[in-house]
Amino acid sequence: MGSHRVLRCRLTLVAVALAATHALACPATALPAAPATPGAPATALHATALGPTAAAPATPATPATGWRATRAATFDAAPARAGLERLLASRAAQFTLVPVERPATGDYFAVSGVRGAIVVRGTSPATLLTGVGWYLEHVAGVDVGWPGDSLGRLPATLPAVGGTITRSASVPHRYALNDTDEGYSGPYRDFASYQRDIDLLALHGVNEVFVPTGAEYTYYETLQRFGYGEAELRAWIPGPAHQSWWLLQNLSGFAGPVSRQLVDARADLGRRIADRLRALGMTPVLPGFFGTVPPGFADRNPGAVTVPQGRWVGFPRPDWLDPTGPVFGQLAATYYRVQQQKFGDTDMFKMDLLHEGGSAGSVDVPSAARAVQQALDGAHPGATWVMLGWQNNPSESLLSGVDRSRVLVVDGLSDRYDDLDREAQWGGTPYAFGTIPNFGGHTSLGANTGAWVSRFHAWLAEPGSALRGIAYLPEATGGNPAAFDLFTELAWQSEPVDQAAWFAAYASRRYGGADPHATAAWEQLRLGPYSMPTGAWSEPQDGLFTARPSLTAVRSARWSPPSMRYDPERVERALAELLQVDPKLRTTDAYRYDLVDVARQALANRSRVLLPRIRTAYEAKDLAVFRALVGEWNRDGELLGRLVGSDRRFLLGPWLSAARSWGADAAERDRLEYDARSILTTWGDRVPSEGGLRDYANREWSGLLQDLYGPRWRAYFAGLDQALVNGTAPAAVDWFAVDDTWARGHVSYPTRPSGDPVALAGEVLAALGGSVASRG
């Protein structure tokens, strides 16, 4: 366990109403298993009336003050028990969960026990679940991924632990979720879905989670006190799928107006999410207030000064209220009061001034930043201001105006560029090592994991290091489960991770048993999409089946990599190996998801081989070869649609039906469906869409492939074919009009998968081996 001490705990009975077990921490060097009766789990209850969560560790850079410091040293394990029962059902009874007091060194868990009686000790309800997750992966040999699991391979009686396993968190901050996550992961999810995500985050050691759900309620209620009517505010607030960018001060109003019932329903959901996090001892990170206001604010509030923010990719941005003026403090105080009353307390708030091109005008940036922090501190003394490390944010000018010890920068570029020196750039401001392994929720497979395993512990060990956490920041979650698993494990490993050994172990537990073909498959994936180079990109390339039709297309999204970032043959080899995995392991959800995902990626990669050859044939006016290659393209696209239709995680239907379920009447259901459709395709109206946002998400999903992307390419190639036959130039197409028509449609799509993933993956492998492109 490296230099981490193994702590010993003595259980002391205290008199409480239900005579529950209360764990007290005490110094020692051994941690024996507590007596346990199989099937009779121990769940500690409060010895006092204090809150249900444990105190967080204090560090010199992040003093424990405010909400976090007031939490009780002991806690109720019942929320962890409930999560365990959701996860494991009947086998949950074989676990005994024992709360322990968090030492000054931070969170830790310890796992011990005999066959059928596993004891997990932890410093918060979430950390108890982290211990359970570690046991499942590293002792029981099964995986709980995001998505996919092999829990069906668990034996009826859980295996014993060899001795005691103790793990300590090397950093106090284990942060999750990008500002964009709600928009791209599913803005219309229900509480059961969020609860599942929270359970997964806890299982993987996360303790701080961004919660923007329902944030519009705070603005809606607050701004009515500053001269705005309900209707104009509801028109200013965008639809839920686009609210992430409204909170970043990039746009307003799009896909609205929102209804009062929607505002209230989302606020109630946000409160439930925040409450569930608090119950688990996790910190809900709420949106802070930094000055976003609707048009005309200064006219309605004497003394207020607003700064126009121009445009963001074609969208007119909301105004910025000068934080140094006399009205900002009043507005911020009201905002935080309304927010706390509705969503409860916390001590971490996320906000970024002047995001992606915002204008300071004549406002002094250090003074503005100081005023924003003072307003936060007035409402929540000692709170931490969370900032995103992205492009030039946070600037030295901004940081010079704040108390840096109460700032946490969640770095989105730790694994993207080389020669980074965050201590020098941010002047010793505490930061979290972060990654953005996908943008827009691309279905592409891969991540810069080599940078993770080589940089995190090295940066942590540097003299004067300001590294205080990790930050898992994909623009959408729910894909790339190996990346999520490895990245979150960094914070619980005392030594640098051996990438090759980690992927070998992952291959064994992912499908609930060792298999040489699974090992070989994941070795190919490790060497390919999971070992991409740093220097320019943190995500893989996207496929071209989802690109706007053009013979010169090199990417689907404007800001995606323009070429392959690894050897595509490695994915095809991985697919061939996965198809030979022992049939006993093929029944797991994890195997079937991975098989579809790898086959999908292999087909997507082939689009980059086919398209240049189609272009060559067209330019040579070789109609026969052109038609043969186009035929293969269309067959591959059709097969891709059938393949992804065999797994529920790649279906468009649930995304759209969830959106419509939030509408109170037909008109609202239609508005919400447009919100959900447009974020995946046009993104916005013509100007921002054509300005670069179109096809930003470009997901290889069943429904999108069959009804939008496939028809686009077929129409395009038909036009080229006609041009070759007639010797004329191809007719121009208004592709935005095509996309916008689809985005405003209401065709329903399947919400349940169909087809056999194994058979379809085999069909993909056969198609790749027999392709015209392969034959050259």
Side-chain angles (χ1 to χ4, degrees), residues 665-682:
D665 55 35
E668 185 172 34
R669 287 191 286 273
D670 287 350
R671 286 199 307 274
L672 300 182
E673 183 176 1
Y674 171 68
D675 185 38
R677 282 175 175 248
S678 61
I679 195 70
L680 298 179
T681 53
T682 58

Side-chain angles (χ1 to χ4, degrees), residues 33-267:
T37 302
T43 300
L45 301 178
H46 295 294
T48 70
L50 295 174
T53 51
T59 67
T62 52
T65 56
W67 172 79
R68 192 189 297 261
T70 64
R71 293 186 288 175
T74 57
F75 58 88
D76 188 350
R81 168 63 55 189
L84 181 57
E85 290 173 351
R86 285 191 295 272
L87 176 72
L88 294 181
S90 59
R91 290 179 182 81
Q94 297 180 46
F95 284 90
T96 297
L97 304 180
V98 182
V100 295
E101 187 173 315
R102 181 186 286 121
T105 50
D107 282 314
Y108 77 93
F109 64 80
V111 184
S112 59
V114 299
R115 186 170 176 269
I118 310 305
V119 179
V120 180
R121 294 174 171 82
T123 49
S124 73
T127 308
L128 287 171
L129 288 178
T130 307
V132 171
W134 195 275
Y135 167 83
L136 292 172
E137 291 188 352
H138 298 278
V139 179
V142 296
D143 189 62
V144 186
W146 199 3
D149 68 73
S150 53
L151 292 174
R153 296 282 299 166
L154 272 176
T157 303
L158 297 178
V161 183
T164 298
I165 299 171
T166 302
R167 290 280 163 173
S168 298
S170 60
V171 285
H173 300 286
R174 283 98 60 200
Y175 183 98
L177 302 189
N178 198 300
D179 296 76
T180 67
D181 181 74
E182 182 159 86
Y184 288 136
S185 293
Y188 295 100
R189 288 168 286 176
D190 58 14
F191 180 68
S193 178
Y194 281 102
Q195 181 172 251
R196 171 69 176 175
D197 291 350
I198 292 168
D199 288 345
L200 287 169
L201 290 167
L203 282 168
H204 289 83
V206 170
N207 68 339
E208 297 161 353
V209 181
F210 183 51
V211 183
T213 310
E216 66 270 33
Y217 173 92
T218 307
Y219 280 92
Y220 180 67
E221 292 293 327
T222 298
L223 288 165
Q224 289 179 55
R225 297 162 170 81
F226 288 81
Y228 290 89
E230 295 184 23
E232 61 183 329
L233 287 172
R234 291 200 301 271
W236 180 63
I237 297 168
H242 290 79
Q243 282 184 18
S244 297
W245 296 270
W246 171 64
L247 292 173
L248 288 166
Q249 206 177 57
N250 296 151
L251 57 82
S252 63
F254 186 77
V258 296
S259 67
R260 178 60 197 255
Q261 72 86 21
L262 183 65
V263 170
D264 288 341
R266 281 178 47 79

Side-chain angles (χ1 to χ4, degrees), residues 471-539:
Y472 184 65
L473 303 170
E475 286 203 333
T477 49
N480 249 332
F484 171 64
D485 204 4
L486 173 55
F487 188 81
T488 51
E489 193 170 302
L490 293 174
W492 297 90
Q493 294 279 17
S494 58
E495 303 293 337
V497 174
D498 182 320
Q499 188 207 38
W502 189 92
F503 272 94
Y506 180 79
S508 180
R509 68 174 180 264
R510 180 65 175 159
Y511 313 130
D515 181 275
H517 295 292
T519 301
W522 278 99
E523 177 64 3
Q524 290 298 317
L525 294 174
R526 178 186 77 86
L527 293 171
Y530 287 101
S531 288
M532 296 183 299
T534 58
W537 307 96
S538 61
E539 70 162 346

